[in-house]
């Protein structure tokens, strides 16, 4: 599989017919949803929290310049360095430059979708650095040279047997599928990397404009190690990750952990405000914050799409999506999968590249219903479809069909004529009362027969008999 | 806002307002349903009624609350008033061509409930197929057409949650900023899915129907998540004599229809209905009921291909069985 959303249709079709993969995703997503539901029910103010989070995000995204500058001011005042990256290349180049300056060889990374988005590990490798993913899921997919199949659980697609085989092959350990043993093997290897690494790279869950603090949530402790052990820490954030204040943080922390992993709180919440201060014993000597645009300001320009920047990457919409549950994350051909991926990917990469993604939804709306920050995901998919059509990326046959459809529906006489002609054709073809054949439908489902008489016809007859009754 | 963070909140935000759901619960779910005839009692136009509904949805002022209570009393006290309600059938194109019996059933039900029923012959399609495929220009034209066809209707009632939400939820999105502002809000406010209309507008739950079978109910996505109608169909079924309602697992998960999605992504669509069919089978129901012919076409099409005994049935058809 290649990392391109162009192939969504064929990937999806392949994955949906893979029973093992379907079982894996079904189990994992349902499990996550159950845990989430249980915890959400314990919070009577859940809906108010969602509304509040939406409000805060709206305020931030509408005044991003203000909050980002606040963030920069405070990070700088704390002794950190802020780098504004227009795109992935600028961000990667900056990180490589820092790594070269400090003569780093080993780079430990904690889980970060933003660095996945810009393919940072590949760039580091190309520059003779050794990037090591330290989140267990990310570690697995790094060994397998794959990309994440879920925003919060990157190796969701792998069974423990597959992980066992992978570890046996790549790490040279005897095969086992016992999770504890696999975990132990990864831990052993990662410990040595933590001790060796000169540079630590992390993502950012939230960046607080009023204190210059970056907040990282995780469950394995690897992010804390990655950000404290090496001499230099670089945090990479999409520019939408800023929130106004420390006081807003609890709203998001409560929403995020429950929505993503079904926890009240993740095992670790790190708040990093600066590098090591005089008199302190530990912490990195340097702290850098890379603030990445990479197409986000383009999204900002479109008021209808702006909400895409509200996303806190919890993955709940993936879990609840009936499409994602059946095709898995890799089908989307992008590091961002599921409903929010179907919104973000076309916005970041262009609708022409990802034109099938917005159509890969039954518009059931369960994504919007679960989103902790109330992003109207499925309505945005509809507007993206409009962009696909406006860009003339749909087949000409479909455009023609729509013109005919409009003509037929714009005039009720024409509509009735068409409806009569259709019935005549069916009768002449000897298919009366028999299920119609519809390509794409009839392979797996019966299509109903055309009614002998349409409602319009029935209604006219009804009116006659009713009138007859009224005036005998 | 809060002390200490003023500097970083540019504006003074407010605390979470009262969500509209809580407003509904305050008055037993029907607070936002203001009968049009109530205009004569004080509100001069449907436009104002709509405005009232809009504001009421956002925040509850004492005045609007009292007004709403008043209308509620009017609709309760005047039994004869209900009888004068006029409902125009909005029969979606799919129903017209493939399931006309659903339209006839709806006519019977509404008449039985005491409404005067008509059917504007000029109607065709609400435009949803075009809209859902991204053809907004085409959808806008059909939306304008719809508004004109139904402009004189007192109530517009449809046997489809999906087509109703096209009118109620999506017309305002695509006609945003268009020159039909007033007509738009006037018409969309008077458009209802039929179970919602019966229970929450007419206040009718018992139609005297009898249906001695075990049924299970599928929550159609648009009806449930766009229009937030979950209880009305169940209320109606609970009042059907002999009917045993067995809830299926995950009644809220999509059947996989999704309009053109069902033919653009047939594999996924089928995988979805496969699970739906399994959930239905588990209930041991003889009928699977829904309020949307499109869902029933998908579920029924799969069931019949598999030779399953359980039959798809539109709620309107169920309720009209003994009428």
């Amino acid at each position: 599989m290649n990392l391109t959303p162009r192939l969504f249709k064929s990937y999806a079709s392949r994955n949906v017919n893979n029973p093992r993969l379907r079982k894996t995703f079904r189990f994992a997503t349902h499990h996550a949803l159950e845990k989430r539901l249980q915890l959400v029910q314990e919070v009577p103010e859940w809906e108010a929290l969602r509304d509040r989070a939406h409000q805060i995000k709206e305020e931030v995204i509408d005044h991003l310049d203000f909050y980002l500058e606040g963030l920069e001011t405070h990070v700088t005042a704390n002794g950190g360095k802020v780098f504004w990256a227009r795109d992935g290349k600028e961000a990667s180049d900056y990180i490589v430059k820092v790594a070269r300056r400090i003569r780093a060889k080993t780079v430990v990374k904690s889980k970060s979708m933003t660095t996945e988005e810009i393919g940072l590990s590949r760039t580091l490798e190309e520059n003779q650095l050794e990037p090591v993913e330290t989140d267990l899921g990310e570690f697995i997919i790094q060994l397998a040279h794959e990309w994440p199949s879920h925003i919060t659980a990157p190796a969701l697609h792998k069974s423990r047997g597959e992980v066992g085989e992978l570890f046996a092959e790549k790490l040279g350990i005897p095969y086992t599928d016992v999770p504890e043993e696999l975990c132990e093997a990864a831990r052993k290897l990662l410990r040595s990397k933590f001790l060796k690494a000169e540079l630590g790279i992390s993502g950012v869950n939230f960046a607080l404009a009023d204190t210059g603090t970056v907040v990282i949530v995780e469950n394995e402790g690897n992010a804390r190690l990655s950000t404290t052990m090496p001499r230099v820490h670089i945090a990479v954030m999409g520019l939408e990750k800023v929130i106004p204040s420390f006081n807003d943080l609890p709203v998001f922390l409560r929403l995020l952990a429950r929505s993503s992993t079904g926890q009240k709180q993740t095992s670790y919440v790190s708040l990093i405000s600066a590098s090591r201060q005089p008199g302190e014993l530990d912490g990195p000597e340097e702290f850098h914050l890379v603030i990445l645009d990479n197409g986000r300001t383009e999204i900002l320009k479109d008021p209808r799409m702006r909400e895409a920047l509200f996303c806190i990457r919890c993955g709940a919409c993936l879990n609840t999506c009936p499409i994602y549950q059946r095709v898995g994350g890799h089908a989307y051909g992008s590091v961002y999968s599921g409903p929010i991926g179907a919104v973000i990917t076309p916005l970041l990469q262009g609708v022409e590249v990802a034109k099938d993604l917005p159509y890969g939804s039954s518009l059931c709306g369960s994504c919007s219903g679960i989103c902790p920050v109330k992003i109207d995901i499925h309505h945005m998919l509809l507007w993206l479809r409009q962009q696909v059509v406006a860009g003339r990326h749909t087949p000409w046959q479909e455009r023609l069909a729509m013109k005919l459809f409009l003509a037929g529906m714009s005039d009720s006489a024409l509509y009735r004529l068409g409806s009569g002609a259709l019935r005549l054709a069916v009768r002449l073809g000897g298919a009366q009362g028999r299920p119609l054949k519809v390509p794409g439908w009839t392979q797996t489902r019966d299509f109903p027969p055309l009614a002998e008489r349409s409602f319009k016809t029935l209604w006219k007859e009804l009116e006659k008999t009713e009138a007859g009754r009224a005036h005998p | 806002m809060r002390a200490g963070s003023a500097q970083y909140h540019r504006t003074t935000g407010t605390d979470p307002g009262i969500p509209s759901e809580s407003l509904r619960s305050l008055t037993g779910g029907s607070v936002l349903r203001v009968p049009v005839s109530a205009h004569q009692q004080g509100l001069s136009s449907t436009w104002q009624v709509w405005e009232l509904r809009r504001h009421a949805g956002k925040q509850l002022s004492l005045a609007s609350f009292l007004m709403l209570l008043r209308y509620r009393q009017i609709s309760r006290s005047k039994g004869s008033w209900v009888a004068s309600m006029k409902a125009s059938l909005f029969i979606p194109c799919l129903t017209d061509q493939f399931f006309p019996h659903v339209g006839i059933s709806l006519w019977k039900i509404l008449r039985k409930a005491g409404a005067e029923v008509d059917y504007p012959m000029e109607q065709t399609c609400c435009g949803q197929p075009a809209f859902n495929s991204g053809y907004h220009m085409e959808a806008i034209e059909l939306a304008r057409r719809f508004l004109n066809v139904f402009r004189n209707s007192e109530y517009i009632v449809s046997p489809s949650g999906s087509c109703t939400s096209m009118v109620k939820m999506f017309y305002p999105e695509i006609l945003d900023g268009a020159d039909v502002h007033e007509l738009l809000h006037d018409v969309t406010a008077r458009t209802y899915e039929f179970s919602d209309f019966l229970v929450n507008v007419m206040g009718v739950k018992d139609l005297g129907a009898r249906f001695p079978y075990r049924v299970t109910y599928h929550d159609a996505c648009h009806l449930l998540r766009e229009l937030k109608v979950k209880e009305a169909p169940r209320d109606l079924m609970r009042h059907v004599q002999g009917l045993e309602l067995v809830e299926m697992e995950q009644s809220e998960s999509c059947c996989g229809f999704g309009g053109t999605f069902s033919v653009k992504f047939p594999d996924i669509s089928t995988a979805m209905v496969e699970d739906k069919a399994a959930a239905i089978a588990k209930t041991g129901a003889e009928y699977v009921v829904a309020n949307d012919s499109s869902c029933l076409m998908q579920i029924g099409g799969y069931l019949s291909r598999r030779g399953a005994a359980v039959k798809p049935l539109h709620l309107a058809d169920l309720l009209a069985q003994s009428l």
Side-chain angles (χ1 to χ4, degrees), chain A residues 40-186:
Chain A
V40 166
Q41 281 166 346
E42 288 171 13
V43 184
E45 69 275 27
W46 184 255
E47 287 305 312
L49 270 178
R50 290 176 73 203
D51 286 332
R52 184 78 196 110
H54 186 91
Q55 269 180 15
I56 298 169
K57 280 286 180 183
E58 199 166 34
E59 161 67 18
V60 172
I61 299 301
D62 284 352
H63 307 95
L64 208 46
D65 51 344
F66 177 83
Y67 291 109
L68 282 173
E69 277 171 18
L71 178 68
E72 181 185 34
T73 308
H74 288 102
V75 169
T76 312
N78 295 342
K81 193 161 174 349
V82 173
F83 180 78
W84 300 86
R86 235 174 262 122
D87 53 26
K89 190 176 179 306
E90 280 192 10
S92 304
D93 287 351
Y94 177 77
I95 294 165
V96 169
K97 211 174 77 189
V98 173
R100 287 233 174 96
R101 177 169 56 75
I102 62 165
R103 295 175 203 285
K105 285 197 190 73
T106 305
V107 180
V108 283
K109 282 185 71 213
S110 65
K111 187 181 156 358
S112 150
M113 289 306 289
T114 313
T115 59
E116 286 284 354
E117 174 190 325
I118 62 175
L120 179 62
S121 291
R122 211 175 39 245
T123 315
L124 293 178
E125 276 167 12
E126 284 164 10
N127 286 279
Q128 287 75 50
L129 291 154
E130 185 204 3
V132 183
E133 293 289 352
T134 61
D135 171 87
L136 185 58
E138 286 281 346
F139 178 71
I140 292 167
I141 61 166
Q142 189 184 26
L143 285 183
H145 299 289
E146 287 171 351
W147 72 89
S149 62
H150 190 284
I151 287 177
T152 55
L156 192 72
H157 57 288
K158 286 228 176 299
S159 67
R160 59 188 191 186
E162 284 172 303
V163 176
E165 281 163 23
L166 183 73
F167 277 22
E169 185 202 328
K170 304 273 178 174
L171 306 182
I173 60 162
Y175 172 84
T176 170
D177 66 353
V178 181
E180 288 78 6
E181 289 174 16
L182 291 168
C183 209
E184 193 50 44

Side-chain angles (χ1 to χ4, degrees), chain B residues 161-180:
Chain B
S162 187
C163 301
T164 306
S165 58
M166 177 65 199
V167 174
K168 273 183 112 67
M169 312 307 290
F170 295 109
Y171 278 11
E173 273 195 34
I174 52 174
L175 292 173
D176 186 26
D179 50 353
V180 286

Side-chain angles (χ1 to χ4, degrees), chain B residues 241-316:
Chain B
Q241 256 186 55
L243 184 147
E244 185 195 353
L245 177 64
V246 192
E247 293 286 351
M248 69 173 97
E249 273 172 27
Q250 308 213 344
S251 69
E252 296 188 358
S253 65
C254 178
C255 68
F257 177 67
T260 51
F261 169 78
S262 61
V263 288
K264 281 189 175 169
F265 295 89
D267 296 342
I268 309 175
S269 175
T270 305
M272 286 161 76
V273 74
E274 195 182 303
D275 292 341
K276 183 53 76 177
I280 294 166
K282 250 183 162 176
T283 62
E286 296 157 276
Y287 290 90
V288 52
V289 175
N291 291 19
D292 243 301
S293 292
S294 46
C295 307
L296 289 167
M297 188 169 94
Q298 161 87 347
I299 297 171
Y302 182 80
L303 290 174
S304 88
R305 177 61 62 90
R306 292 280 153 152
V310 51
K311 291 178 278 293
L313 184 66
H314 196 287
L315 181 62

Side-chain angles (χ1 to χ4, degrees), chain A residues 229-427:
Chain A
M229 301 255 319
R231 258 180 354 110
V232 176
H233 169 208
I234 304 178
V236 185
M237 64 178 265
L239 48 73
E240 79 280 17
K241 287 289 162 65
V242 64
I243 59 173
S245 148
F246 189 79
N247 294 329
D248 299 313
L249 188 58
V251 175
F252 290 101
L253 288 181
R254 294 181 75 193
L255 288 167
L256 178 58
R258 283 177 175 82
S259 298
S260 59
T261 44
Q263 293 171 289
K264 283 186 180 166
Q265 209 51 265
T266 51
S267 310
Y268 296 84
V269 178
S270 304
L271 289 88
I272 300 165
S273 296
S275 47
R276 188 190 304 183
Q277 301 293 300
E280 285 181 353
L281 292 176
D282 52 13
E285 291 161 21
E286 289 176 31
F287 171 69
H288 302 253
L289 180 61
V290 175
I291 302 176
L292 178 74
D293 180 346
N294 207 29
R296 286 165 174 77
T297 45
E298 286 298 316
I299 301 178
L300 198 62
K301 282 182 195 165
D302 185 348
R304 286 201 189 278
M305 292 299 142
R306 215 170 249 198
E307 275 189 19
L309 297 174
F310 290 15
C311 178
I312 57 172
R313 308 280 190 264
C314 71
C317 63
L318 280 62
N319 296 335
T320 196
C321 175
I323 319 298
Y324 177 89
Q325 286 173 1
R326 287 166 181 87
V327 304
H330 284 167
Y332 292 80
S334 154
V335 298
Y336 300 115
S337 55
I340 194 66
V343 171
I344 294 176
T345 307
L347 290 175
L348 292 180
Q349 299 188 21
V351 283
E352 68 284 4
V353 180
K355 64 182 161 64
D356 288 333
L357 292 185
Y359 288 95
S361 161
S362 67
L363 303 171
C364 81
S366 120
C367 46
S368 310
I370 206 167
C371 176
V373 290
K374 285 199 167 176
I375 302 173
D376 209 351
I377 300 173
H378 71 297
H379 287 196
M380 291 168 75
L381 288 174
L382 280 163
W383 282 97
L384 281 168
R385 292 180 183 188
Q386 190 262 337
Q387 289 188 11
V388 173
V389 171
R392 298 177 74 83
H393 301 304
T394 51
W396 66 268
Q397 295 93 329
E398 188 181 294
R399 292 204 297 274
L400 181 68
M402 279 299 163
K403 288 225 156 58
L404 293 174
F405 168 79
L406 175 65
M409 293 298 179
S410 296
D411 184 337
S412 68
L414 205 59
Y415 173 85
R416 282 203 295 274
L417 196 73
S419 146
L422 206 61
R423 276 169 181 74
L424 188 68
V426 165
R427 192 175 298 178

